[in-house]
Amino acid sequence: RFHNFLQSVGHHHITFHPHHHSLSLMSSQQTVLCQMGISNMADAVSIFSKKTHDGRLPLVLIPQNRSILSLFMKIPDGVHVVMHKFGKFVPNVTPGLKVLPPWFRVAYLVSKQSNAYNSPIAHCPTSDNVETQVDLTLVFRIQDARKFVEHLGALKFDELLKAAIEESTRSLVRSTSHDKVYELRGSRASTFLEELNSKFNDKFGVVFTDATITNVLLPGELATTLQTETTFDSKQKEETKSHQFQLKVLNDKADLAMKTLKAQNDRLAQNEIARKERALIQKEQQEIEAQRQKQLAIIKAEEDAATRKYKAETEFNNAKLQGEKEASEIILRAEGESQATKIQADEYSETQQTRSKAEAKAAESKARALLIEAEAEKAAAAHLKSRREFELQMKRLDVLKKMARSGRVIISGQEGDKFIQALTSSMYEETIA
């Protein structure tokens, strides 16, 4: 409808003047920066933290002059301190109680805080020549207090900042059409920051950290028209989305039905394939079982044959071992008896030999005794000679008799030779006699 309204006036540019179409009330008030005096420097932080009763924002405080008798000075913390000595700047002033002569004085106290600066700009024409009102909020802080108070000051800074904001805002709105101007709300104007920092940072020691367009207002009738058009567009979009949603629901239902039917057919086909596969698997299992039973029968038959063969071989080996055992026992028994007989014969022979040796030695000893006795008797008396020879002969015969009774007698050595010679010589003499 708004486009039809433009066409009805011949596509001419339309300018809405304040006295014809009123703008809505501003959403924010213009911030005013100021500097003011202070009697007690300890109150500086609290003064910088709030606006004055008439809505001004203090940036610079000017303390009272010191007494010429004052030697102590308490430097406040949390603020920039600009100190002079005979009117010249004193750098590196630290907070705390100081002992300083009266020609040292604090010329300025400058805020260290980040400050919000609100600036509503009215009658900003858009690219299609529709006047708007734009509210801009800036956040800044003073970084170099000396540059700020010596080259700029709070009042001059307020004037320059307001002019710079108005120029940049009008330039931004002028490049935007009225139907797009609402899109500026809530946006962070980065171009503002770059422009403002380039103007105020290096020269005056002020740093801008944020710039946001908080509100954009159009003339009442045009705002209503745009709101109506927006509402209509929103309803149309809503109807379109509703139609698309319903169409999507129908398509989804149709797709779901098709997918369900396809899934059923796929499931039936899968079941048939699975049934065939189960039948093939069952057949293969039966064939495998038959082969297994056949192999088991073959293995069992081979095991039975091997068992019978092993049993026969075992019995044969047992019989063979038993025969060999019996033969060995007979041989061992015969050998044992032979060895026993031999051992008995050897023992008996050794016994007889030992006895014969003992008897021979006894006989020899007795013969020697007799010889000694005979020699003694011979020496003693010659008339006993014949008697002694007879007794000696009898004893020899007695020895021979005993030897004949004892069986085989082994006589060896020199003594044996003497013994045999004695016996033979005696027997020889008897034979001659």
Side-chain angles (χ1 to χ4, degrees), residues 225-271:
T225 303
L226 287 177
Q227 184 176 3
T228 304
E229 183 178 358
T230 303
T231 303
F232 177 77
D233 291 340
S234 299
K235 288 183 179 181
Q236 186 176 5
K237 290 179 181 179
E238 184 178 356
E239 290 294 333
T240 302
K241 289 182 179 180
S242 177
H243 175 71
Q244 292 175 350
F245 175 74
Q246 293 177 359
L247 182 62
K248 186 176 185 302
V249 170
L250 294 176
N251 291 332
D252 290 344
K253 287 182 178 180
D255 291 340
L256 180 61
M258 290 297 295
K259 290 179 179 179
T260 303
L261 181 60
K262 185 176 183 300
Q264 291 177 354
N265 293 333
D266 292 341
R267 185 166 57 252
L268 293 175
Q270 292 294 330
N271 291 336

Side-chain angles (χ1 to χ4, degrees), residues 47-173:
I47 293 175
F48 285 136
S49 301
K50 57 185 178 181
K51 294 183 178 181
T52 62
H53 64 280
D54 56 354
R56 294 181 301 166
L57 180 64
L59 290 182
V60 180
L61 299 177
I62 302 175
Q64 293 179 351
N65 291 329
R66 296 176 63 193
S67 170
I68 59 174
L69 300 178
S70 174
L71 293 177
F72 296 95
M73 181 187 300
K74 188 174 183 180
I75 307 301
D77 192 9
V79 296
H80 293 293
V81 178
V82 180
M83 181 177 287
H84 287 173
K85 176 185 177 182
F86 297 118
K88 293 183 179 181
F89 176 74
V90 178
N92 301 325
V93 179
T94 58
L97 184 62
K98 309 291 183 180
V99 178
L100 297 172
W103 49 84
F104 285 88
R105 72 180 186 89
V106 176
Y108 303 99
L109 296 177
V110 182
S111 173
K112 276 187 176 181
Q113 301 174 1
S114 293
N115 302 282
Y117 185 87
N118 299 319
S119 179
I121 312 298
H123 310 299
C124 297
T126 62
S127 60
D128 46 6
N129 211 24
V130 176
E131 291 186 355
T132 62
Q133 176 180 306
V134 178
D135 293 347
L136 180 67
T137 298
L138 296 174
V139 178
F140 69 91
R141 58 185 174 85
I142 300 172
Q143 190 173 18
D144 191 331
R146 182 183 178 186
K147 286 183 179 180
F148 183 78
V149 297
E150 290 182 358
H151 302 291
L152 189 61
L155 300 179
K156 189 175 180 181
F157 176 58
D158 183 63
E159 295 176 0
L160 292 178
L161 181 59
K162 184 177 180 181
I165 291 174
E166 185 172 351
E167 179 183 358
S168 298
T169 303
R170 291 182 183 279
S171 175
L172 177 63
V173 174

